Structures are given as structure tokens and as C-alpha cells.
Amino acid sequence: MMKKAMLTALVTMLAFPMAVDAQNQNSQVTATATVAGYMDISGTGDLPFGTLSRATDNVISATDGTTTRALSFNRDITVTFSNVPTQLVGTDPTNTLPVELTCAWEMSGTWTTPVVCGTQTFDLDVGTGLTAGTLGFGGTITAAAASAAVADSYSATLDIRVDARS
């Protein structure tokens, strides 16, 4: 009887194959990355007018490399200058010396024409990938201003700000 039941089950399986339910499983992997905005300004050094001439104007070109700041960035940036002095102040703060500070920028070896820093804004556009540039600083102290100044050491500071543009 056992053999007959097994034979019947075997014939049934052959005649009516079991439906096999094939299952598919799908999944996805999403690759993601963020390139962070990068801006860096580096460099040190003052604008060295030195001992002033009282006979000729004392001029330092913003494009001669005397005083620079290096820029690196991977997105469009705006460079602004604030707190730009029109007077250098002596160690005795009652002593002042008129000055006109100029700024320029360079990318790929070509300098812009220097302009009075004042409220100047430079919009620099990123190239492909990391872009480098240079800010240059210069200025003029006239002979007349030097002649009228009291003997002292004079200085003042301007502020540079670099912001990302959308």
C-alpha cells in the first residue's frame, strides 16, 4: 500500500507539476558626494613705504608683488575691502599721514589695473576645479603729505573679506 501511495504521489507530481513561485528581490545603492565650498586666503606682509621722500611721491604698485595675498577657491567668490584707511596713524595717535591704498587681482598671470581700494569689490569666477589667484596691494603717499607730517612711525590696517557667490 505504501508503494502504491508513493507511486500515486509521483505520478501526480509528474502530471501536475507544482507551481514554483520564483521570487525576485531588488535593491539599489545610491552613490552620493558633496564637494564642499573651499576658499582660502593666505600670505603675510605689510605694505612697506619705508622712510618717505619729501621730494617725490612715494608709490608702491599693487601689481609688482611687494604685498600680496594668495587665493584658492572652488566656487565663484567676491572679495571686498573694508576699513580702508585714508590716513595712517602715528605712534602718537594725534599724528596722521594721508595715504591712498590701491588693490588689484591676478589670475593666470594677468593683473587687473589697480584701483583705489575704498569700497572696491572683485568678483572672481572659478575655473575648472580649484582656482588660484593673487590679490595685490599698493598705494601712494604724496611728497606734500610726507613734508607736512611730523616725524613718527605710521600705520593702519585694511580688512579683506572673501565670500562665496551663489
Side-chain angles (χ1 to χ4, degrees):
M1 180 79 173
M2 179 84 143
K3 281 186 174 182
K4 187 175 178 186
M6 285 177 64
L7 184 57
T8 304
L10 182 60
V11 169
T12 303
M13 284 175 41
L14 291 173
F16 306 102
M18 291 169 69
V20 177
D21 188 14
Q23 293 185 359
N24 292 320
Q25 296 293 319
N26 295 315
S27 181
Q28 295 178 331
V29 173
T30 302
T32 63
T34 301
V35 175
Y38 176 79
M39 299 173 291
D40 183 55
I41 184 167
S42 61
T44 59
D46 296 329
L47 190 56
F49 283 100
T51 302
L52 300 176
S53 169
R54 294 175 187 265
T56 60
D57 290 347
N58 302 272
V59 179
I60 297 175
S61 173
T63 61
D64 71 2
T66 299
T67 303
T68 60
R69 298 296 183 266
L71 290 170
S72 296
F73 51 99
N74 70 352
R75 64 181 304 160
D76 295 344
I77 61 172
T78 297
V79 179
T80 54
F81 306 97
S82 61
N83 193 35
V84 180
T86 57
Q87 302 278 333
L88 302 183
V89 178
T91 54
D92 173 348
T94 61
N95 297 334
T96 59
L97 178 65
V99 65
E100 182 177 79
L101 298 179
T102 56
C103 303
W105 59 270
E106 169 274 329
M107 286 175 42
S108 303
T110 303
W111 282 96
T112 60
T113 301
V115 295
V116 175
C117 296
T119 56
Q120 187 64 42
T121 299
F122 297 148
D123 287 331
L124 306 179
D125 296 332
V126 71
T128 56
L130 190 61
T131 301
T134 305
L135 298 175
F137 301 92
T140 301
I141 298 174
T142 65
S147 293
V150 174
D152 202 344
S153 293
Y154 296 84
S155 66
T157 303
L158 71 89
D159 297 319
I160 307 162
R161 181 179 171 125
V162 179
D163 291 299
R165 286 187 286 135
S166 302

